[in-house]
Amino acid sequence: MLKAKTRFASFVMACTMVFSVVGMVFQPAAKVSAADASGTTASISDILKNQRPDGGWKKDYKETSGEWAKSTIDNKATYSEIRRLAKEFKKTNDPRYSAAAIKGINFLLNMQYSNGGWPQVYQSSGYHTHITFNDDAMINVMYMLDEVGARKGDFSFIDSSLADRSKKSVAKGVDAILNTQVVTNGKLTAWGQQHDSTSLKPAGARIYEVPSLSAGESSTIVKFLKTRPANSKITTSIQAAEAWFNNVKIT
């Protein structure tokens, strides 16, 4: 009798797990992942219309008030618009697209803190002011500015002055990455999702985004550092982060 009850309980648990997984798979995408910014799918004409006076773009073009009505790099905003405009200019040679892309690039350069980091939202408050690695926001900005600095791909139309400014911006960004890597018990470890713009320590954001070390964002940071010309600081940073990955991995 006991064996039968045990088998039945195991069967119920297995069914529960199966249906839970199925339920997760078939949930609407909006419930299981954050939506990309409007600029990833908007028409080129809408991208031009929605560029803000400061040169950036909102995450959601429909937003009219609050922090999310400001220019941001969250959820692929701003750098996606710049990439699409540059690509469109290369196809059409329409100066409206190159002018808007250049204005956007200048915005990102102006948005950068003097310590090299980028906030999530420009001229904002609260957690939006933190240096934001979350969702790879800062790193994706740096990948794009690296292309601008090299004047390669769709950014071949960029003049040498803006290219040089972009190179310097990326170098400052690398300094910010190295300076925000957390030291624990005298050892370099990894990075948080966001860091305080003054203390450079990991900081909290939404209630479930506590000050902590994040393997996801840290792995993207390490991949970016591996694209940089090697020096002792960068090599040490990479090796320390990889040692931390091995130390905390769950097998």
Side-chain angles (χ1 to χ4, degrees):
M1 184 67 175
L2 181 60
K3 289 183 179 179
K5 286 183 177 180
T6 302
R7 285 198 298 270
F8 179 73
S10 299
F11 174 74
V12 171
M13 288 179 66
C15 288
T16 301
M17 291 176 67
V18 168
F19 288 125
S20 296
V21 171
V22 171
M24 289 176 65
V25 169
F26 287 100
Q27 283 188 67
K31 291 186 179 179
V32 294
S33 62
D36 287 341
S38 297
T40 60
T41 56
S43 67
I44 291 296
S45 61
D46 278 346
I47 286 175
L48 288 176
K49 288 176 191 174
N50 284 280
Q51 187 169 27
R52 293 177 48 75
D54 58 26
W57 282 265
K58 295 183 286 187
K59 178 165 66 171
D60 182 352
Y61 291 173
K62 296 177 183 177
E63 194 66 61
T64 58
S65 64
E67 296 293 272
W68 293 121
K70 299 177 182 179
S71 297
T72 180
I73 58 172
D74 189 48
N75 287 70
K76 305 179 184 177
T78 298
Y79 60 84
S80 291
E81 282 91 344
I82 295 170
R83 285 190 177 280
R84 292 188 61 198
L85 287 164
K87 189 178 186 70
E88 197 67 19
F89 174 70
K90 192 169 184 180
K91 282 181 1 186
T92 65
N93 210 34
D94 187 327
R96 293 179 301 163
Y97 304 139
S98 58
I102 289 169
K103 186 176 180 180
I105 293 165
N106 277 303
F107 163 75
L108 290 177
L109 298 179
N110 294 331
M111 186 190 196
Q112 187 177 26
Y113 289 135
S114 59
N115 61 22
W118 272 270
Q120 184 186 53
V121 180
Y122 186 53
Q123 294 184 339
S124 56
S125 61
Y127 72 83
H128 301 293
T129 65
H130 295 329
I131 294 172
T132 303
F133 297 122
N134 198 2
D135 294 332
D136 305 326
M138 176 170 152
I139 297 301
N140 282 330
V141 168
M142 293 176 69
Y143 271 121
M144 194 202 73
L145 288 178
D146 195 41
E147 292 178 40
V148 173
R151 300 168 73 184
K152 68 179 185 180
D154 293 331
F155 296 105
S156 57
F157 66 91
I158 298 296
D159 66 36
S160 58
S161 175
L162 186 56
D164 287 343
R165 288 181 62 207
S166 298
K167 286 179 184 177
K168 290 175 182 176
S169 174
V170 173
K172 283 174 62 179
V174 171
D175 287 340
I177 288 171
L178 297 177
N179 291 331
T180 51
Q181 190 169 12
V182 176
V183 176
T184 303
N185 296 325
K187 291 184 178 181
L188 286 169
T189 58
W191 295 264
Q193 289 184 305
Q194 49 276 318
H195 288 245
D196 185 273
S197 60
T198 302
S199 71
L200 304 185
K201 293 180 180 179
R206 290 169 292 187
I207 193 168
Y208 51 86
E209 293 167 333
V210 298
S212 58
L213 300 182
S214 172
E217 278 75 10
S218 294
S219 65
T220 307
I221 290 170
V222 169
K223 287 175 184 176
F224 179 80
L225 288 177
K226 288 183 176 182
T227 69
R228 303 299 87 200
N231 61 40
S232 59
K233 283 188 175 181
I234 289 175
T235 300
T236 298
S237 174
I238 292 170
Q239 291 175 345
E242 290 180 336
W244 181 83
F245 293 147
N246 284 324
N247 187 49
V248 302
K249 69 181 178 182
I250 298 171
T251 58

